[in-house]
Amino acid sequence: MAPIAAKILILSVMFLLNDLIVSSAALFTECASIGEEESNSFYEDGDVVLGGIFPLHYTRVSSLPTYTSKPEPGSHKYFSARALRWMQTMTFAIREINQRSDLLPALRLGFHIRDSCNDVPVSLKASLLLVNGQPGPPAIRNVSLEAVGEHSGKGDLISLASRSPVLGCADVTRSPSPVIIGDASSGVSMALLRSLGPFQIPLVSYFASCSCLSEQTEFPMFMRTMPSDAFQVRALARLVSHFGWTWVGVIGLESDYARFAIQLFLQESSLYGVCAAYVHLYPVVLSQQPLDELLDIIQGSSSKVIINFNSESEVQSIMRAIRQRNITGIQWIASEAWATAKSLWEEFGDLLSGTLGFGIRRAEVIPGLKQHLFRLRPSNIQDSSFLTELWEETLNCRLNGSVNTHSHMVNHLDRKPCSGMEDLNDVYSAFSDVSQLRVSYNVYKAVYLVAHALQRMSDCEAGQGPFVNGTCANPQSLEPWQLFHYMKNTKFSILGEKVDFDRNGDPIASYDLMNWRREQDGSLRLLKVGFYDASLSPELSLVVNDSAIQWPVGQQAVQSVCSESCPPGKRVARRKGKPVCCFDCVTCAEGEVSNNTDSLDCTRCPEDMWPNDMRNLCLPKNVEFLSYKEPMGIVLCAGSVLGTSSSLLVLAMFYKHRATPVVRANNMELSFFLLLFLATCFLIGLLFIGEPSDWLCRIRYPAFGISFALCISCLLAKTVVVLMAFRATLPGSGVMKWFGPNQQRASVLLCTLVQGLICIIWLLTYPPFTNCNTGYLRNTIIIECATGSEVGFWCVLGYIGLLACLCFFMAFLAQKNSKKNMMRK
């Protein structure tokens, strides 16, 4: 029985699969629109219909989907008038191109524009409606296999997915779009690219700036007229560094845009010594708990500068919470997503005054756009729910027979009826404000990018085309990948600007630095106070007019640092476990200086210099030597002069009385020599006064040694003469004949020659030299004569000591002989 039951089960499964296959085949042979019909859009037919997706509504009600019931329509409670201006800019650009005779003269462009609600599911639905069109009677539209076969042979420019049949209809009420201009959000754009990528549908974004979208391996069909965040992040890092903000808070929405931007900012800012006091990503649904967590972090931090990577809608929620907490004195740095969002000013002007942010490049004027926007009248907007909603929201009245189904802060059913006399010129609206044409200008350029690509496609000559065998694409029946091929290689000029794209499909980055200024009447003025141009060198890329900036508090920029800068004279000492911006300031060690702010190390002064009291400058050390002006020099000089004078005076007296018995008996010649050499010794003392030099040092020590040797040699000779005189009194002694005047002179000369020989050897081997002594006093250089050879110096002194000892010994012997003679008598 078991085998029979198994066979029956297998047969049942086979019949079931067969039914499913038949049902699927029937489904794919019919053109059916699944789901509710969505009619809210702008549409105009043409030979080529450009798709557009714009976030006309945003900010979902703070609730997570239950996935148990279908979400209610119209749950996006804010209406963006400026997004409607972007939509109208696209329609204006297309109609302008259609009226030109020099651009696409044989081709008429159309448009199909839908609301993305800044929501991925809504955007996906809108994009599928754009690329498939809205079907009429059943039919199958197949991709041209012949064209695919021709193209796939050249560089694999199309994936196999494009060879599959695409659902379409022979009779469609709205034509499919080969290209989509959108979306504003990076996250939504990534979702669209992942969904449409297998079908080779190009996407041209006007506001998605995430650097992740530049990855061509993941998003090969993406281009944009909005610069990549990689450039914005560099500009922000340069900006905070310019104002000395080294301790900043970084917050952002939990999204690809904020995540990638914050990661790049942290990497780039670290190059400029900027640290993040905190990095906080908050969820898409901002309930009270994540708001409280964010505000607790802001209040608990010492940082006064916050960089906010999010969009306009999230800023509103955060600002309301900040007002409730009464948090003030914050310097907000806006990302380009909300740097020019004027709609925030009316409610949060007191909190956002002084905000700085980089806005994308602005067009001074788009000729004819203002007139196009102000052309709206109740009579020509009745059929458009988008325009009806703008009219009712801006003028606060309800049109008769209104097709508006959105409810915002006020129930549209409760509004008073419009009188028909209302005019958009009478009130301010972000829709009609053409003073800050930034994103609108990007939309304008995106349309012209497609138009110029189509023009190049139209100019293609058979046999010289870019596809296999030199074939060209037909603009009337083109494939999306063919159009994208031309778009990637398109360059054009518009309103005086050259538009070019790199290999990633990114334009050259240029930003205006905007300052949110409060005018006297309380209105907002977005003032350009600088710019950042990525095409310039790094040192010239950022220009800021500091004097034109209005700050949140006071007349100067707030201070936002973890640690105050270390002044010159101190160095940075890192705090263990803290960011590099948190440090202590330590005074430079003795003999070291730092002459820069926030020096990491102190520099030791040269040997001949010493730090000042602030230790930020090396000053020349005081130079000291024994001078004639110092007390010791004066005493030594006076002693030398007095000794010399006394010696010469005695010499003069001896010479005057040289014929007297006393002088003659005192060995007159040696006495003259002794007094002369003694005077010389006193004069040589003057050589030790004054600034030393190498030659003076080489004269000073030998002169000192030789002069003293002369004096002691004379004393030694006189002592020997006395000793010989006592010995000569002995009977039969003839010793005096061996030590007469000639021998006395010879003894003095011989003793002095020995000292002279010692000095000559000293000078030839290692002579004395000038030495700058910096070790004795830390801030003083003592210039002195170094002895050079210590052996030579001590030999000179030792020889003088030897002569003195011999002289003492001879005197002792002479005294002893004198006593013997006395006793004998």
Side-chain angles (χ1 to χ4, degrees):
M1 293 295 292
I4 296 175
K7 290 180 179 179
I8 294 174
L9 178 61
I10 292 172
L11 289 172
S12 300
V13 171
M14 290 177 64
F15 280 120
L16 179 60
L17 290 174
N18 183 63
D19 290 340
L20 289 174
I21 293 171
V22 172
S23 300
S24 301
L27 176 63
F28 282 102
T29 58
E30 296 181 359
C31 179
S33 177
I34 302 175
E36 296 179 358
E37 183 179 352
E38 179 61 58
S39 59
N40 291 339
S41 64
F42 289 126
Y43 182 83
E44 183 174 292
D45 202 7
D47 298 322
V48 178
V49 176
L50 276 59
I53 297 181
F54 297 87
L56 186 60
H57 298 90
Y58 60 95
T59 306
R60 296 188 62 87
V61 176
S62 297
S63 62
L64 293 171
T66 61
Y67 300 104
T68 59
S69 61
K70 183 179 179 180
E72 295 182 3
S75 57
H76 302 83
K77 64 179 182 179
Y78 291 107
F79 173 77
S80 175
R82 70 170 184 162
L84 185 57
R85 169 165 36 91
W86 303 343
M87 287 181 172
Q88 287 295 294
T89 302
M90 180 175 174
T91 65
F92 168 77
I94 290 174
R95 288 168 179 166
E96 182 181 69
I97 292 170
N98 287 336
Q99 294 173 4
R100 292 178 58 168
S101 60
D102 60 331
L103 185 61
L104 299 178
L107 201 67
R108 178 176 177 79
L109 297 182
F111 54 79
H112 189 182
I113 304 174
R114 290 190 168 274
D115 181 12
S116 71
C117 296
N118 199 30
D119 188 32
V120 171
V122 177
S123 300
L124 285 174
K125 179 180 179 181
S127 66
L128 292 175
L129 287 171
L130 293 178
V131 299
N132 282 297
Q134 287 183 280
I140 290 290
R141 181 177 67 87
N142 291 314
V143 176
S144 172
L145 296 179
E146 180 182 358
V148 172
E150 291 176 356
H151 184 68
S152 60
K154 186 174 179 64
D156 295 330
L157 294 178
I158 185 167
S159 69
L160 292 175
S162 295
R163 304 187 184 188
S164 304
V166 179
L167 181 61
C169 302
D171 297 324
V172 293
T173 58
R174 296 186 176 183
S175 301
S177 300
V179 61
I180 295 178
I181 296 177
D183 182 64
S185 166
S186 297
V188 172
S189 297
M190 292 171 68
L192 296 181
L193 287 166
R194 290 191 174 104
S195 300
L196 302 178
F199 302 101
Q200 300 288 292
I201 306 295
L203 194 72
V204 183
S205 178
Y206 48 86
F207 207 25
S209 59
C210 182
S211 59
C212 56
L213 290 168
S214 299
E215 185 57 55
Q216 288 292 290
T217 56
E218 187 175 1
F219 306 112
M221 301 300 291
F222 180 73
M223 292 184 70
R224 54 184 162 190
T225 53
M226 175 75 188
S228 168
D229 273 340
F231 300 103
Q232 180 198 189
V233 162
R234 292 173 194 167
L236 289 172
R238 289 288 308 278
L239 180 67
V240 296
S241 174
H242 173 80
F243 290 114
W245 296 327
T246 59
W247 192 238
V248 298
V250 186
I251 63 175
L253 184 68
E254 183 64 58
S255 63
D256 292 320
Y257 163 71
R259 207 165 24 245
F260 278 92
I262 290 175
Q263 180 182 0
L264 288 174
F265 175 78
L266 295 179
Q267 294 174 358
E268 190 71 22
S269 61
S270 64
L271 303 177
Y272 299 96
V274 178
C275 302
Y278 52 87
V279 176
H280 185 74
L281 293 171
Y282 43 84
V284 176
V285 179
L286 263 177
S287 59
Q288 192 59 43
Q289 181 178 353
L291 272 176
D292 289 339
E293 292 178 0
L294 173 62
L295 297 186
D296 290 342
I297 292 174
I298 293 176
Q299 284 187 305
S301 174
S302 59
S303 173
K304 298 298 181 184
V305 176
I306 300 178
I307 301 177
N308 195 349
F309 289 99
N310 55 30
S311 61
E312 178 181 347
S313 56
E314 287 79 29
V315 174
Q316 292 177 343
S317 302
I318 294 173
M319 288 301 157
R320 289 191 185 97
I322 284 179
R323 172 166 288 158
Q324 292 176 357
R325 289 275 191 105
N326 194 27
I327 301 175
T328 58
I330 298 295
Q331 173 66 61
W332 290 98
I333 306 296
S335 64
E336 38 72 29
W338 65 279
T340 58
K342 285 187 172 182
S343 58
L344 296 170
W345 182 260
E346 183 176 353
E347 186 177 356
F348 310 109
D350 55 329
L351 298 176
L352 294 176
S353 178
T355 296
L356 290 172
F358 285 103
I360 54 181
R361 185 168 183 175
R362 176 172 70 99
E364 295 297 331
V365 63
I366 298 178
L369 177 61
K370 184 175 183 180
Q371 292 77 4
H372 177 78
L373 297 176
F374 280 101
R375 196 175 296 161
L376 299 183
R377 292 293 181 270
S379 59
N380 56 24
I381 66 173
Q382 287 284 4
D383 296 334
S384 172
S385 61
F386 294 162
L387 298 178
T388 300
E389 186 176 1
L390 167 70
W391 193 273
E392 294 182 353
E393 289 294 324
T394 304
L395 300 173
N396 195 25
C397 65
R398 178 170 176 77
L399 290 169
N400 186 25
S402 173
V403 293
N404 178 22
T405 59
H406 279 86
S407 296
H408 300 293
M409 305 307 293
V410 178
N411 191 333
H412 63 287
L413 297 175
D414 296 335
R415 290 192 174 103
K416 63 180 181 178
C418 296
S419 63
M421 303 300 295
E422 293 84 4
D423 193 334
L424 288 177
N425 288 299
D426 298 335
V427 294
Y428 170 80
S429 171
F431 172 79
S432 56
D433 184 1
V434 293
S435 62
Q436 297 291 329
L437 295 177
R438 300 181 187 276
V439 183
S440 300
Y441 184 41
N442 281 354
V443 174
Y444 191 71
K445 288 189 289 187
V447 174
Y448 268 86
L449 167 63
V450 178
H452 280 279
L454 287 170
Q455 181 64 56
R456 293 188 61 207
M457 183 185 293
S458 301
D459 295 339
C460 179
E461 297 181 5
Q464 299 180 7
F467 307 119
V468 65
N469 298 326
T471 58
C472 299
N474 183 5
Q476 300 285 349
S477 59
L478 60 85
E479 296 295 336
W481 53 265
Q482 294 173 329
L483 176 59
F484 187 72
H485 171 78
Y486 283 97
M487 290 168 56
K488 288 284 286 186
N489 299 282
T490 295
K491 299 178 182 180
F492 61 97
S493 296
I494 184 170
L495 300 181
E497 178 191 356
K498 292 182 178 180
V499 181
D500 193 5
F501 301 89
D502 61 17
R503 59 186 180 87
N504 296 322
D506 295 331
I508 303 302
S510 178
Y511 298 95
D512 293 336
L513 178 59
M514 308 306 297
N515 181 220
W516 293 39
R517 295 177 62 94
R518 177 183 292 276
E519 297 294 286
Q520 293 184 353
D521 59 357
S523 63
L524 168 65
R525 181 187 177 194
L526 288 175
L527 180 66
K528 179 181 176 181
V529 294
F531 67 87
Y532 178 85
D533 191 342
S535 64
L536 301 177
S537 59
E539 59 274 10
L540 301 176
S541 57
L542 177 66
V543 175
V544 181
N545 183 6
D546 295 9
S547 60
I549 297 176
Q550 183 182 91
W551 301 105
V553 180
Q555 301 298 318
Q556 58 185 2
V558 299
Q559 294 294 317
S560 186
V561 295
C562 180
S563 301
E564 292 293 335
S565 295
C566 293
K570 297 187 177 182
R571 65 173 179 86
V572 171
R574 305 292 187 198
R575 296 177 185 172
K576 188 176 181 179
K578 297 290 184 179
V580 295
C581 300
C582 300
F583 50 81
D584 296 316
C585 296
V586 179
T587 303
C588 290
E590 191 174 274
E592 296 181 343
V593 297
S594 65
N595 50 16
N596 294 319
T597 302
D598 290 335
S599 295
L600 297 178
D601 296 297
C602 295
T603 306
R604 180 164 292 278
C605 289
E607 288 294 327
D608 59 342
M609 305 187 80
W610 188 254
N612 59 356
D613 294 338
M614 299 296 294
R615 298 198 178 180
N616 61 356
L617 183 65
C618 289
L619 300 176
K621 288 184 177 181
N622 298 325
V623 178
E624 288 190 2
F625 51 85
L626 187 60
S627 68
Y628 293 97
K629 297 180 180 180
E630 294 183 5
M632 189 173 181
I634 295 174
V635 171
L636 182 58
C637 182
S640 297
V641 173
L642 181 61
T644 302
S645 301
S646 301
S647 299
L648 294 176
L649 180 61
V650 174
L651 177 60
M653 292 179 63
F654 268 47
Y655 182 77
K656 182 179 180 180
H657 301 284
R658 62 182 178 279
T660 60
V662 175
V663 174
R664 292 176 63 86
N666 200 31
N667 199 336
M668 180 179 64
E669 185 175 350
L670 286 178
S671 296
F672 284 168
F673 279 137
L674 177 61
L675 289 171
L676 181 62
F677 296 148
L678 189 60
T680 303
C681 286
F682 281 116
L683 288 176
I684 287 174
L686 297 177
L687 295 176
F688 290 83
I689 305 174
E691 183 176 358
S693 64
D694 288 340
W695 285 106
L696 183 61
C697 292
R698 293 170 185 173
I699 295 173
R700 178 185 293 180
Y701 289 112
F704 165 79
I706 292 173
S707 62
F708 267 80
L710 281 169
C711 291
I712 297 176
S713 297
C714 291
L715 285 176
L716 179 60
K718 287 176 65 67
T719 305
V720 171
V721 169
V722 172
L723 177 61
M724 295 297 107
F726 284 119
R727 289 288 183 95
T729 58
L730 296 176
S733 176
V735 69
M736 284 299 297
K737 66 180 180 179
W738 299 106
F739 204 71
N742 292 330
Q743 288 77 9
Q744 295 173 15
R745 297 189 199 98
S747 65
V748 172
L749 181 60
L750 180 61
C751 291
T752 304
L753 283 177
V754 174
Q755 183 73 300
L757 181 62
I758 294 174
C759 291
I760 289 173
I761 295 173
W762 181 12
L763 292 175
L764 291 177
T765 54
Y766 191 6
F769 58 90
T770 304
N771 178 50
C772 296
N773 189 342
T774 58
Y776 185 69
L777 297 175
R778 63 182 185 180
N779 59 348
T780 302
I781 299 176
I782 300 176
I783 302 179
E784 58 187 8
C785 284
T787 57
S789 174
E790 295 290 336
V791 175
F793 176 74
W794 287 110
C795 285
V796 168
L797 291 182
Y799 184 71
I800 292 174
L802 176 62
L803 291 179
C805 291
L806 287 175
C807 186
F808 176 79
F809 180 70
M810 292 300 177
F812 177 76
L813 292 178
Q815 183 186 19
K816 187 176 181 181
N817 289 328
S818 174
K819 288 182 178 180
K820 287 182 179 180
N821 290 335
M822 294 277 298
M823 293 176 62
R824 193 178 295 119
K825 291 179 179 180

